[in-house]
Amino acid sequence: MSYSNHSSPLSFILTGIPGLEDAQFWIAFPFCTMYFMAVLGNITVLLAIWMDPSLHLPMFYFLSMLAAIDLVLITSTMPKLLSIFWFHSHEIDFEGCVAQMFFIHSFSIAESGVLLTMAFDRYLAICKPLHYSAILTGPTTAKLGLAAVGRGTAIIIPLSSMVASLSYCGSHVIDHSYCEHMSMVKLACGDTRPNCIYGITVATIVVGSDSILIAVSYRLILREVLGLSSREARLKSFCTCGSHIAVILLFYIPGLFSFYTDRWGQSIPAHLRILVADLYLLVPPMLNPLIYGMRTKQIRELVLSLLRQKGIPSRS
């Protein structure tokens, strides 16, 4: 088969969830509900932090970064996914597909970086409280946030360029709900080994290093918590750390499952792999405002006070 070195299709066709085409109309309803909850929750967290000067602290700045990243992640994927499920709008132009891939992967890496900075913040607050203010100054907080986003951008720009330069001479049907890196590479002609090697290396190094550092941070935190004399304080700290760890696991485990099974998990049903990949981009953004935001006393009290001002009855 002959093809030009840099031929690109005008558009791709996104399948949705292969094997569940008949059920996609109904699957879209819980997806839409979770999308609405994620958007509402993250916007609420951003507004609460912006409106209350007492929340202008490193911990809440990191939380607002996480909320903003989650909004970008779900907004870059869910509207198109819902249009596929409800309106059979499967077509996406080539440039839009590359852009969607860039936002998904770069901001996923950025979220991993912010989760790491949040673990570092909690480590300093619990284990080094006397040095907390001196270490996490305003400029340092801003630099850590920019570093998390900048790392994701710097890593994925070369990957996006590599995907855009591939030749696509066969089928233009992507067996996925969105434009994921390997789902695009599978449609390319010629040598795609550089893309595969780069993608696997980046995922392994980023997730491996970030998750190890997060685990070390929480191990040190838990060791410090076990030394607390008050049983109530230990229980409260365990609950807080446990919920944070649960969200981190919900972010990393489905992501790794989706990433590696897409390459070597051909024995796993396609609809299961794609469904997990879809939920990976939807469930953490929905849960993060609840775990990190509404469990935070200051944010919860501010939201409840706003509801009372609007005359909306709320449960404390």
Side-chain angles (χ1 to χ4, degrees):
M1 184 179 293
S2 61
Y3 52 88
S4 61
N5 288 337
H6 298 289
S7 60
S8 299
L10 294 176
S11 62
F12 286 118
I13 303 297
L14 291 168
T15 304
I17 304 178
L20 295 180
E21 288 83 358
D22 294 337
Q24 286 180 166
F25 179 83
W26 302 107
I27 293 173
F29 285 98
F31 272 53
C32 184
T33 302
M34 288 188 285
Y35 175 50
F36 175 77
M37 291 175 62
V39 171
L40 180 62
N42 285 290
I43 290 178
T44 300
V45 167
L46 287 172
L47 289 176
I49 294 172
W50 175 66
M51 292 174 60
D52 190 349
S54 68
L55 299 180
H56 295 176
L57 300 169
M59 170 186 173
F60 298 106
Y61 286 140
F62 293 137
L63 181 56
S64 64
M65 294 174 198
L66 185 67
I69 289 170
D70 281 340
L71 284 172
V72 173
L73 274 175
I74 57 176
T75 303
S76 64
T77 54
M78 286 303 127
K80 180 60 180 177
L81 184 145
L82 292 174
S83 71
I84 293 171
F85 289 0
W86 273 334
F87 307 113
H88 304 289
S89 177
H90 295 273
E91 188 174 3
I92 182 171
D93 62 74
F94 178 75
E95 290 78 12
C97 199
V98 174
Q100 188 185 61
M101 187 206 79
F102 169 79
F103 280 110
I104 290 170
H105 293 303
S106 63
F107 278 85
S108 293
I109 294 174
E111 178 150 345
S112 179
V114 171
L115 289 174
L116 175 59
T117 60
M118 292 176 74
F120 177 64
D121 172 83
R122 291 299 82 206
Y123 163 74
L124 289 178
I126 294 174
C127 301
K128 306 288 183 182
L130 298 179
H131 301 90
Y132 181 85
S133 299
I135 296 175
L136 276 185
T137 60
T140 302
T141 302
K143 289 175 183 177
L144 288 172
L146 289 173
V149 176
R151 182 184 65 163
T153 303
I155 289 173
I156 299 302
I157 282 179
L159 194 67
S160 301
S161 300
M162 293 165 70
V163 168
S165 65
L166 291 172
S167 300
Y168 300 88
C169 55
S171 171
H172 295 163
V173 178
I174 296 178
D175 291 329
H176 213 297
S177 303
Y178 51 82
C179 296
E180 190 266 342
H181 172 240
M182 279 307 300
S183 64
M184 295 179 67
V185 170
K186 287 178 180 178
L187 302 181
C189 307
D191 186 10
T192 60
R193 284 177 299 177
N195 295 75
C196 297
I197 293 172
Y198 187 88
I200 292 170
T201 302
V202 164
T204 303
I205 292 176
V206 169
V207 175
S209 60
D210 287 1
S211 59
I212 288 172
L213 291 173
I214 289 172
V216 170
S217 297
Y218 277 103
R219 183 181 180 277
L220 294 173
I221 290 171
L222 290 174
R223 188 176 68 178
E224 189 74 18
V225 167
L226 289 173
L228 296 175
S229 57
S230 170
R231 182 177 180 276
E232 182 180 350
R234 288 200 303 271
L235 182 61
K236 182 179 178 180
S237 298
F238 274 129
C239 290
T240 301
C241 291
S243 60
H244 290 191
I245 292 171
V247 169
I248 290 168
L249 292 176
L250 278 173
F251 176 75
Y252 282 118
I253 293 177
L256 288 174
F257 175 86
S258 174
F259 183 83
Y260 286 110
T261 56
D262 203 37
R263 288 153 178 79
W264 299 297
Q266 284 71 26
S267 60
I268 299 174
H271 67 270
L272 178 60
R273 290 189 284 110
I274 304 305
L275 194 58
V276 170
D278 292 343
L279 292 174
Y280 156 68
L281 294 181
L282 187 56
V283 173
M286 180 187 69
L287 293 180
N288 284 343
L290 298 174
I291 301 299
Y292 288 113
M294 297 309 294
R295 285 178 63 90
T296 302
K297 181 180 178 181
Q298 296 97 317
I299 294 178
R300 184 173 65 252
E301 289 180 348
L302 179 61
V303 171
L304 292 176
S305 66
L306 290 175
L307 291 175
R308 294 189 191 101
Q309 290 174 13
K310 296 294 183 179
I312 302 174
S314 59
R315 296 178 181 178
S316 56

